Amino acid sequence: MLGLMQQQTLLISDMIEFAEKHHGDTEVISRRVEGDIHRSNWATIAARARQVANGLDQWKIAQGDRVATLAWNGYRHLELYFGVSGSGRVLHTLNPRLHPEQITWIVNHAEDTVLCFDLSFLPIVQKIHQDCKTVKHWVAMCDPDKLPSDSGIPHLVSYESWMGQQSHQYAWPALDENTASCMCYTSGTTGNPKAALYSHRSTLLHAYACALPDVMCLSARDSILPVVPMFHVNAWGLPYSAAMVGAKLVFPGAALDGKSVYELLESEKVTLAAGVPTVWQMLLAHLKSGGLRFSHLTRTVIGGSACPPAMIQAFNDEYGVEVLHAWGMTELSPLGTLCTLKNKHLALPAAEQMKIRLKQGRAIFGIDFKIVDDQGKEQPNDGKAYGDLLVKGPWVIKAYFKQEGASPLQDGWFPTGDVATVDPDGFLQITDRSKDVIKSGGEWISSIDVENIAMAHADVAMAACIGMPHPKWDERPIVVVVKKADAKVGRDELLKFYEGKIAKWQIPDDVVFVESIPLGATGKMLKTRLREQLAGYQLPA
Ligand code: ADP
């Protein structure tokens, strides 16, 4: 017998309609590329999203066609999020930090038909436009008077003159909820990037999940600042979740330095901010140097790479801000786990609670995970056994775009490429990317553990642990360190700092001090490039 409930499809257009109807005057604030602060609200965003949809209709952009963006976090980008997907086209966010050649490859692979870009990325567009064969329309996300007259890009229009002349009226199409809504390419540190192609349904379910109390606990009382970019995995779904709960949104634009972010956090009374550890490092340094405090911030979501314990402690102990450590990836839309305590942990001493908070967290309803050995045998959840992490759920990919015939799944599970342990309470701890795993004398050493200890030293700004070939042990770890300005720590002192913190055989054999560690397009350490840089390096005898 079937239930007698309404069959309501889950569509992105429903989220913006909801935000307009029930939270129309809730603000959406953006620091613009021009430097000024722009104030909008959900009602205006919704009306302008409908203008975008009409603009795409006028250009006869077909359903399913890809509309690309090359843009910072801001209100126009948000309008495109809803206008493009809501009208049945696929929003394709491009990562401007990639090399122009890679961007060209991605645009051609995705067969983008429209490309909307912030003026700061004009130089990239000037480099690539002749090689982007499928793009018919180039849109500069600016006012008409800011449109460069000599850009060299044929038929370039300003966003405002294109969508501004369209009607505010638009009937969102009743799409199948499995229709593709947005796409994002992985950073492709090895080989060509691959695209995750999200659907309306997966995006909506992910947005619901993010808002849950044990996840980001989002509500209409929040003022949310996503530092995490809208150009990579949809800013962790925050634009959608914010619309769904009617939260205020605050966009930092291009200014991601500590001072600019701090100013916005304070002036817009931000309660929750989200970003990768490298961004928070700049913010914490700014706070420390100026003796500043947060007036409204209560929690910050940190993920994308392992959050160093020293950072969690600094936020928690010095500034009273709760860190929500999250793990995810492009193929998971991106959220997989987030770390919040359980009821039984509340009575634990603060130090014990902190040990749990350092982990990547528990599964969110919808996501299931398990760890397996080389033979695919499930490993125990004892917090010690480690294995390859497999996941499944309604917002996990089943195939990559244009590779539909070659499913990456193993018995329905997606192999993440991460290595992890799971404790008896279900808390996941990532020890490594499988390609970064260090094997010494048959035993694994977690590069994340080694890095976290170095990061806890007051003189260390950044640390990367990599394995070096060793005649007896196969591999031995070394730690590559960037010192803080004017810091004095030397090799021997840092190696001594490891004593008592991990097993003796896990202590790195050497410390190599460098000016900087190469970062990839999503702000993560690029260990492949670091290894190339250290090509001539030899372990101490
Ligand atoms: P890419 O950089 O290839 O596009 P993603 O941005 O999707 O990939 O990053 C996914 C990877 O980032 C994960 O598989 C994992 O290795 C790493 N990662 C994400 N969050 C965390 C975290 N909290 N701790 C450790 N590693 C993390």
Side-chain angles (χ1 to χ4, degrees):
M1 184 164 65
L2 294 177
L4 292 171
M5 306 309 287
Q6 295 179 11
Q7 185 66 43
Q8 173 91 41
T9 47
L10 306 176
L11 296 177
I12 287 178
S13 53
D14 293 332
M15 294 197 256
I16 191 66
E17 285 207 323
F18 173 86
E20 177 181 32
K21 185 168 173 186
H22 300 286
H23 302 278
D25 64 353
T26 297
E27 284 188 297
V28 174
I29 310 295
S30 312
R31 190 193 289 280
R32 303 206 300 175
V33 174
E34 295 89 326
D36 61 340
I37 302 291
H38 176 273
R39 308 194 85 84
S40 182
N41 59 32
W42 281 113
T44 307
I45 297 288
R48 285 167 54 92
R50 291 193 291 270
Q51 289 182 292
V52 167
N54 279 318
L56 295 170
D57 282 3
Q58 190 198 34
W59 279 345
K60 303 206 174 350
I61 305 302
Q63 300 277 299
D65 273 0
R66 271 73 68 202
V67 174
T69 59
L70 196 57
W72 299 109
N73 293 5
Y75 64 103
R76 290 181 179 126
H77 208 171
L78 187 68
E79 292 154 10
L80 286 162
Y81 261 50
F82 291 102
V84 172
S85 303
S87 65
R89 286 87 182 192
V90 178
L91 178 87
H92 174 202
T93 53
L94 288 162
N95 186 338
R97 298 207 175 105
L98 292 170
H99 192 274
E101 269 173 30
Q102 251 180 329
I103 300 179
T104 309
W105 186 93
I106 290 173
V107 169
N108 286 326
H109 188 262
E111 300 175 58
D112 295 329
T113 53
V114 180
L115 198 151
C116 307
F117 61 95
D118 271 336
L119 274 186
S120 25
F121 303 125
L122 179 63
I124 300 181
V125 174
Q126 284 171 323
K127 268 196 199 115
I128 67 171
H129 75 96
Q130 280 175 329
D131 298 318
C132 297
K133 303 294 180 210
T134 54
V135 179
K136 297 191 204 88
H137 303 278
W138 300 90
V139 181
M141 292 162 69
C142 63
D143 292 325
D145 60 339
K146 298 278 179 341
L147 192 71
S149 53
D150 52 354
S151 69
I153 298 154
H155 315 299
L156 179 65
V157 291
S158 81
Y159 179 83
E160 297 296 334
S161 58
W162 164 58
M163 52 72 80
Q165 54 175 317
Q166 305 293 332
S167 161
H168 289 115
Q169 307 299 320
Y170 189 82
W172 297 112
L175 306 167
D176 179 323
E177 65 183 15
N178 293 303
T179 303
S181 61
C182 10
M183 83 187 336
C184 178
Y185 280 71
T186 61
S187 318
T189 37
T190 50
N192 276 329
K194 299 185 284 257
L197 184 60
Y198 312 121
S199 68
H200 285 257
R201 176 187 154 82
S202 70
T203 304
L204 213 110
L205 292 175
H206 178 265
Y208 261 125
C210 288
L212 284 170
D214 263 1
V215 188
M216 298 192 200
C217 193
L218 305 178
S219 80
R221 291 164 299 291
D222 274 317
S223 168
I224 302 174
L225 188 143
V227 181
V228 52
M230 290 168 82
F231 59 69
H232 192 61
V233 271
N234 299 325
W236 299 350
L238 281 167
Y240 304 115
S241 299
M244 184 179 264
V245 302
K248 172 177 172 178
L249 269 178
V250 183
F251 290 127
L256 302 179
D257 59 287
K259 179 170 179 287
S260 306
V261 171
Y262 178 75
E263 275 171 13
L264 269 188
L265 291 174
E266 288 298 295
S267 63
E268 300 306 328
K269 300 187 169 51
V270 170
T271 53
L272 175 123
V276 295
T278 34
V279 168
W280 297 138
Q281 209 130 27
M282 295 192 281
L283 180 67
L284 286 175
H286 177 70
L287 281 161
K288 205 165 182 136
S289 68
L292 305 167
R293 311 285 308 167
F294 296 116
S295 319
H296 306 277
L297 192 71
T298 57
R299 58 208 198 282
T300 158
V301 188
I302 305 186
S305 51
C307 180
M311 183 173 285
I312 301 187
Q313 259 143 1
F315 268 113
N316 192 70
D317 302 351
E318 291 170 40
Y319 299 105
V321 172
E322 183 183 18
V323 170
L324 303 168
H325 192 191
W327 168 85
M329 58 198 306
T330 308
E331 289 87 340
L332 272 72
S333 309
L335 214 60
T337 66
L338 190 131
C339 197
T340 50
L341 301 180
K342 291 183 173 179
N343 177 279
K344 69 175 185 181
H345 298 135
L346 297 179
L348 290 176
E352 292 302 306
Q353 290 186 347
M354 186 53 78
K355 277 189 200 154
I356 301 170
R357 288 187 177 284
L358 304 182
K359 301 189 176 191
Q360 276 77 5
R362 297 181 276 125
I364 301 161
F365 176 75
I367 292 286
D368 195 8
F369 62 68
K370 63 177 180 180
I371 47 171
V372 299
D373 67 10
D374 290 348
Q375 280 76 47
K377 184 165 168 277
E378 190 162 349
Q379 297 299 294
N381 290 359
D382 59 9
K384 294 190 188 76
Y386 43 78
D388 292 316
L389 177 64
L390 307 183
V391 295
K392 65 176 177 184
W395 56 88
V396 179
I397 65 154
K398 64 176 178 191
Y400 292 101
F401 176 61
K402 288 189 176 173
Q403 297 185 16
E404 287 83 344
S407 169
L409 304 191
Q410 300 172 3
D411 288 334
W413 294 80
F414 175 76
T416 62
D418 284 332
V419 177
T421 62
V422 182
D423 72 18
D425 289 325
F427 285 78
L428 179 85
Q429 185 152 27
I430 305 285
T431 58
D432 262 303
R433 287 297 281 166
S434 56
K435 59 180 186 299
D436 295 332
V437 158
I438 300 165
K439 266 197 178 153
S440 173
E443 295 285 345
W444 287 14
I445 297 174
S446 160
S447 64
I448 294 180
D449 282 352
V450 174
E451 286 156 9
N452 282 345
I453 293 172
M455 293 288 290
H457 191 288
D459 281 1
V460 172
M462 201 184 285
C465 172
I466 52 175
M468 284 290 168
H470 188 279
K472 181 168 174 199
W473 305 111
D474 292 336
E475 270 189 323
R476 288 294 302 152
I478 64 163
V479 62
V480 184
V481 167
V482 180
K483 281 193 238 184
K484 286 189 185 156
D486 304 326
K488 296 199 174 50
V489 66
R491 173 185 181 275
D492 295 343
E493 183 192 331
L494 196 56
L495 290 179
K496 210 164 171 46
F497 188 68
Y498 276 93
E499 287 175 16
K501 298 192 173 79
I502 40 173
K504 244 186 159 147
W505 60 273
Q506 296 174 330
I507 296 178
D509 278 11
D510 199 7
V511 180
V512 177
F513 291 103
V514 293
E515 288 298 312
S516 66
I517 289 173
L519 295 180
T522 50
K524 298 176 202 199
M525 295 189 290
L526 265 188
K527 292 194 181 173
T528 39
R529 191 156 319 147
L530 187 59
R531 282 198 191 92
E532 285 163 21
Q533 283 178 11
L534 295 172
Y537 172 85
Q538 294 235 311
L539 281 170

